Amino acid sequence: MIIVGIIGVCVVLAVLAFFLPRLSRHPERGTQRTLGAGSRAGGKAPGILGRIFSKPFRSSSKAVGRSGSAGRRTRGRMPF
């Protein structure tokens, strides 16, 4: 269920970044801040469990950043 939520957030951010590139940065940063908090909390587990628990949050944060930048990059390539 969480995977579907992250995919949904990425799609919404990509569309928002395409149509409103300047206004998409605030939601993107807020989402990355939330995922970063989850990664830091998961990383407090001892040993290898810390890396295992924080990895989904790190990869989700990367995906959110990539989708936002892809939307802005695509908008920049459009002729209008």
Side-chain angles (χ1 to χ4, degrees):
M1 194 67 183
I2 292 175
I3 295 171
V4 173
I6 295 297
I7 291 171
V9 167
C10 288
V11 168
V12 167
L13 277 174
V15 170
L16 185 65
F18 182 76
F19 289 112
L20 302 168
R22 291 177 117 189
L23 295 177
S24 69
R25 294 202 185 264
H26 188 70
E28 179 184 342
R29 287 183 185 147
T31 305
Q32 286 182 336
R33 188 178 304 128
T34 303
L35 291 170
S39 177
R40 284 189 302 276
K44 291 185 180 191
I48 196 167
L49 287 177
R51 286 191 295 270
I52 291 171
F53 289 156
S54 68
K55 185 176 179 182
F57 294 103
R58 282 194 317 259
S59 60
S60 298
S61 180
K62 285 181 192 177
V64 166
R66 271 192 236 125
S67 67
S69 66
R72 285 187 291 275
R73 188 174 54 243
T74 305
R75 171 65 182 253
R77 291 179 182 170
M78 296 300 285
F80 49 87

